[in-house]
Amino acid sequence: MDATFTTPPRPFDVTALFPQLAPLARTATRLHPRPGSPTVHDSSVGGPLLWPADEPWPHCDEPHDRHTDSAVLSPDDVRLLRRNRVAIAARRHLGRPASRPTPEELADAERVLQGRPWSEGPIPLLPVAQLYARDGHFPAGPDGADLLQVLWCPFNHPADPRTALFWRSAAAVTDVLDTPPEPTAIRSQSYLPEPCLLAPERITEYPHYMELDEELRQELGDPGQWHAAGWALDTSDAADLQEFYRNELAYAPGWKTGGWSTWGLSDPRPRPCPACGTEALPLLSIATTEWNHGSKSWAPEEERTNPTPLPAGYPPANFTRINIADGSTLQLHTCPADPSHPHIELAQ
């Protein structure tokens, strides 16, 4: 992607107020996915993978949760509906009747929304992300790996899609699979990522306040500490101060690698590696939105005056069109001692 996205400076340097945070700083890479046309040689979300032609495509052969309130669609069904929504939105400036769906678009929707039969047998996984190390996207992988590929099963297991990680050397892939298999149906339209290119940006993050020691948590919630440092925030509520720290100062929302774990649906808890017990670290955050009402200050400088357009019907900053657990983030953690160990999924 030719575009550059810049995270605005934080309201102030939080380590100047609380020097105890400085040793806890970690580097994260915001990926800034935006709709585009990636190739197998690009880092991407929802794009084609540099997959060896002689390597079997991964499938999911486990039981699937068939509970859903909507008809299951094929990936091509979803793509057709999305193209039509984009076409309708592009005609809005023309006024009626041009801005209304055409008979063909209405017929497409009626036909597609009747749904497909549920998939039987092993289900081909869908590409979610491809990250080249040359772009500085991910922490160290297994020896010799400079490419990370993330796929998932487009059905719940039991609450979210189940992910699979593949580390490889890009130079070793000399014959690329041209047409990977796709599932005949997926549980939700929001489990098919829109193809996006990335514009990586490195930032500094700090832990969620619940991951700090008790003394520092008390200081963060003490208005007197903030006022003594010259920051007269308009609140006397400790919970508000802690939320301000979390939303504005600690860690970025959206798609990213590295950094600190996001918490919200539950309190922080240990994430030991299933293989060796080492505490797992954040690898990739798969986010529903790039920011929300509580974290608008993380919106890139470039999009404050010239926002990237989104199709109608999608929430703000939902560029990839996925939706994890009604607006949450699916975080993948890996073992720092051996990234090839089984990874951990955490929805927050």
Side-chain angles (χ1 to χ4, degrees):
M1 189 193 305
D2 294 332
T4 298
F5 296 108
T6 309
T7 297
R10 297 301 83 205
F12 50 83
D13 179 6
V14 69
T15 61
L17 274 70
F18 305 102
Q20 309 96 305
L21 286 171
L24 303 177
R26 287 182 184 172
T27 298
T29 300
R30 300 190 73 186
L31 300 181
H32 298 300
R34 299 296 184 272
S37 300
T39 73
V40 297
H41 302 294
D42 294 312
S43 293
S44 66
V45 166
L49 303 184
L50 186 77
W51 195 270
D54 59 356
E55 182 176 326
W57 188 262
H59 288 65
C60 178
D61 56 5
E62 298 186 12
H64 298 98
D65 179 6
R66 290 181 172 239
H67 174 72
T68 179
D69 295 328
S70 58
V72 293
L73 309 180
S74 74
D76 280 341
D77 292 336
V78 177
R79 295 181 185 113
L80 175 60
L81 291 177
R82 288 179 179 175
R83 287 196 299 270
N84 286 353
R85 290 190 190 109
V86 169
I88 294 168
R91 300 195 301 265
R92 281 186 181 151
H93 70 285
L94 300 175
R96 294 194 177 191
S99 62
R100 302 183 66 180
T102 66
E104 293 79 8
E105 290 164 345
L106 291 172
D108 286 341
E110 182 178 2
R111 173 178 53 82
V112 165
L113 293 177
Q114 291 177 1
R116 300 273 182 171
W118 276 77
S119 297
E120 301 293 340
I123 297 175
L125 302 190
L126 283 175
V128 176
Q130 174 166 270
L131 306 176
Y132 282 90
R134 66 171 185 248
D135 299 322
H137 289 322
F138 58 83
D143 290 345
D146 61 358
L147 178 61
L148 170 63
Q149 295 168 326
V150 183
L151 301 91
W152 67 21
C153 173
F155 290 89
N156 288 348
H157 289 266
D160 304 296
R162 176 164 294 172
T163 55
L165 307 185
F166 294 85
W167 304 85
R168 67 176 80 250
S169 166
V173 184
T174 56
D175 189 9
V176 180
L177 181 65
D178 289 330
T179 310
E182 284 194 329
T184 57
I186 60 178
R187 182 186 183 277
S188 168
Q189 296 184 45
S190 61
Y191 287 173
L192 180 68
E194 182 74 5
C196 289
L197 290 164
L198 310 180
E201 176 200 19
R202 293 196 171 194
I203 61 167
T204 300
E205 295 191 334
Y206 302 97
H208 187 285
Y209 61 82
M210 289 298 290
E211 293 202 78
L212 303 174
D213 62 46
E214 180 62 29
E215 179 180 356
L216 186 48
R217 287 205 303 269
Q218 290 181 354
E219 290 187 14
L220 281 171
D222 180 5
Q225 293 281 344
W226 298 80
H227 294 162
W231 293 98
L233 298 179
D234 187 23
T235 181
S236 60
D237 190 312
D240 288 345
L241 291 172
Q242 291 169 341
E243 283 301 299
F244 175 79
Y245 164 78
R246 186 183 75 161
N247 290 334
E248 305 290 343
L249 306 174
Y251 47 70
W255 285 71
K256 62 185 179 182
T257 59
W260 282 90
S261 301
T262 299
W263 300 97
L265 298 181
S266 69
D267 288 343
R269 58 180 183 267
R271 288 133 291 163
C273 169
C276 68
T278 304
E279 182 71 5
L281 298 177
L283 173 70
L284 174 66
S285 294
I286 300 171
T288 300
T289 62
E290 289 298 286
W291 60 85
N292 57 33
H293 69 279
S295 56
K296 286 182 180 178
S297 72
W298 293 93
E301 297 275 14
E302 294 80 2
E303 291 185 323
R304 290 171 179 267
T305 55
N306 186 27
T308 300
L310 284 167
Y314 289 93
N318 179 229
F319 300 103
T320 64
R321 303 196 199 179
I322 69 161
N323 189 338
I324 300 293
D326 295 327
S328 299
T329 294
L330 183 63
Q331 301 168 81
L332 309 184
H333 293 70
T334 51
C335 176
D338 188 342
S340 67
H341 284 172
H343 66 286
I344 298 171
E345 297 176 348
L346 175 69
Q348 290 290 317

